[in-house]
Amino acid sequence: MYPPAPPSSAVSPIQLAVAALFGASVMAISAFYIHKRSVDQVLDRLLNLRRSRRHRQLPDDELEFSDYNENAETDNNVSIWRSNNKLSGSFDDRIDDSGEVRDYRVSSSIPAASIPKSKRSAEAGIASSSANSDSLDNIHLISSDLPPVRIDQRDGEEKHVSHSGTTMRVGSVGRLATPRSAGSYAFDSAGDSDDEGTELETEEDQDMNLTQDQHIISAQAENGNYMHVQEPEVIVYEATSNTDHADRKADTDSTSILSNNYVNSNSIFPPIATLQESVSAEEQEVLKMIHDCLDLRDKYIFRENVAPWTKNVEKSDLAEVKKDPFYFAPTEASSHFFRMEDGVVRVYGSEGDTEELFPVASSTTFFTDMHHLLKVVSVGNVRSTCHHRLRFLEEKFRLHLLMNADREFVAQKSAPHRDFYNIRKVDTHVHHSACMNQKHLVRFIKSKLRKEPDEVVIYRDGQYLTLKEVFDSLDLTGYDLNVDLLDVHADKSTFHRFDKFNLKYNPCGQSRLREIFLKQDNLIQGRFLAEVTKQVLLDLEASKYQLAEYRISIYGRKQSEWDQLASWFVNNEIYSENAVWLIQVTLPRLYNIYRSMGTVTSFQNILDNIFIPLFEVTVDPNSHPQLHVFLLQVVGFDLVDDESKPERRPTKHMPTPSEWTNAFNPAFSYYAYYCYANLYTLNKLRESKGLPTIRFRPHCGEAGDVDHLAAGFLLCHNISHGINLRKSPVLQYLYYLAQIGLAMSPLSNNSLFLDYHRNPFPMFFQRGLNVSLSTDDPLQIHLTKEPLVEEYSVAAKVWKLSSCDLCEIARNSVYQSGFTHAAKLHWLGDEYFYRGPRGNDIHKSNVPNTRISFRHETWMAEMQCVYAGKARVPEEVDH
């Protein structure tokens, strides 16, 4: 047996904790008393020195001993000051040559900074006789290695901090809720905050000798640049670390001078000096990629060698065309020779020549460039940069509205006779077969049933049928017809169903009624369609200020389609000064149908059927006289149909059209290139012969991949829809820089692909893209007799567009349209072809120069940013 263990002598944890607490308490109490004694000594010396100084400065009868009471607040402030500021050296180092101690601002949020004598006197509540003699030069700047300061804004108090040569000053600022307030501004924050902390009291800025009506907001930028917004001027300058007070005062004085001369300015934003910003290597690379993409577009886009406003057009010729638009003057054929090679027409001077007159980029080159563009679009830092630039443009426009909305409204009031109803607006995208509203079509069908029931109108099932027999076969009478029975209006069932939307072209759901009333190639040679078209044109002329660009179809099944269309046009005398025509080609999405039916054997057959007649009539107008007359009123080429169908992205080396014999449709960019290439050659040929050219303006970006928009950027003058630009900030920014026209149709998109409230039109407009409003399909979409005004009115109400906004959109539509130079000269002014305010006439367009100046200067600034200040922009608009 072992003996028992002795009792344990271990100390319990509670005893250890009590001992540690006691030791810590003793140490804390000792440190407190040592620290208190040091602080009391410092305070006593500080207060004694201040008392002695005040006695020397002031008469005895003005000295109030209560100002130097050693109260709790003073102790508190000094403690805060000591805790936030690390003193270097001894306290005696703070004494200047005169024996005085330099005071420091006592604040919990501002680091140690010397305060001038005038400020010391103001804080002490005592008038200083030397306050007027001291200047801001006496302020010792805060060290540059300190973190940024946060300045609390209190009622009735002004904060002023100097930081390494840069300033942040808030003074004399009034908070604004609306742009109608004359003495203040409103800025939309990222979160649209309306907290009380954003409200600023107005106070006179004595340091800068500004009067109470000179409101200044100074914001600190990351690169040292500042924007001073002064009512009613904006001054942008670069602040450097060695800028002295005299220079800043001179700048302030010049600001006052600009303010006095402001009434003669057209814009709240004066010409802005180029900011010397430091651009990183990554940013330089991004900007280089962007302007390389712009240069790619310049390589492809067709522009006339001679601008239309520089051509000498005989007035007698214009009078002759206006008198008889269907007059054909026999013209001698030229010696040009052409042939189709690999899907593109090649033109030569004569049949024996081997040198091509108008070479165009090959398909391999185009697909290589398009793939390069798509790579740029997908780069992360390029996307971020473009997104930031677009957000900047949007916020800049909002700021412009806050500053200038009232001025723009007053300017519009001063323009006699002009308002939204009395300015030209063009429906830049409307399909001819749906140009009438549904009530108009019902009324027209009833009138034909009543007046021409025995007219033979169709051949079906081996027999000819009269109009009455057709309706009897459908068990319908004229009395039964109404808008609901007609069933041509788009509804919820058509959303994301392009096939059902196309079926809405069939009145009462019957394709035979569409053939009778809405086709020009039928048994009656399109007489009914011609009559209803004339009625629509008469309504258009009655409104005087509304114009339209109608799309009429070519299918590419046979070459004789062109002559049939031209004869319908000429024989029925379809003409109006308020309308021009575009050809819409449905070749991409119908190729597989024609291939399965045996109508064509390859994609090359469709290209031959579409373009060979156009080159024939251009070389020899006598070969197709009616087509020659018709083409004088054709201003554009459109490509239509469902973009949402899946497709495979083309490779750099695609089969030629003659090799495309499979049953699948080619991709959008494939047929876009071959239409562009043939149109480019055709336009060069027509321009050389003095004939009007035809622009490429397809449907693009309504649905499908962004590849469509990339191809459109390289090849097209304008596009229709373009709502998918919202998915690609890079392409959106490129479309902005190139100012490619977008004919947008929000009501049509609402029925097919995108809800109205999600439509990007208002965002595009604010950012400065070249947008216009169009109707697309009044038969399916609209309810009133004036569908274009209906489109504008819905947009104005939903998106709160002002009268100036509507007039700017209408002005854009005239620029996008294909109307003649003489017409635009009359509608927009004698110098409409110049960029900026020089090209604007408010008495014609009802758009104030303030708005045009803002748009032009903003666009110029972006171009200079992209081209690193070396952009060379012509004074005239693109043609």
Side-chain angles (χ1 to χ4, degrees), residues 829-844:
D830 295 338
E831 295 184 328
Y832 80 93
F833 45 85
Y834 286 105
R835 299 182 186 272
R838 181 181 177 184
N840 181 59
D841 184 357
I842 190 174
H843 299 286
K844 298 280 189 178

Side-chain angles (χ1 to χ4, degrees), residues 178-193:
T178 116
R180 297 186 179 277
S181 300
S184 49
Y185 310 106
F187 294 89
D188 291 338
S189 63
D192 294 331
S193 174

Side-chain angles (χ1 to χ4, degrees), residues 811-841:
R811 182 177 183 267
N812 289 345
S813 71
V814 178
Y815 275 98
Q816 292 179 16
S817 71
F819 282 91
T820 63
H821 163 65
K824 293 181 180 180
L825 205 67
H826 176 62
W827 298 337
L828 296 179
D830 295 338
E831 295 184 328
Y832 80 93
F833 45 85
Y834 286 105
R835 299 182 186 272
R838 181 181 177 184
N840 181 59
D841 184 357

Side-chain angles (χ1 to χ4, degrees), residues 226-238:
Y226 296 84
M227 182 177 71
H228 284 227
V229 182
Q230 172 179 351
E231 186 183 13
E233 285 290 336
V234 175
I235 307 297
V236 178
Y237 68 96
E238 180 179 357

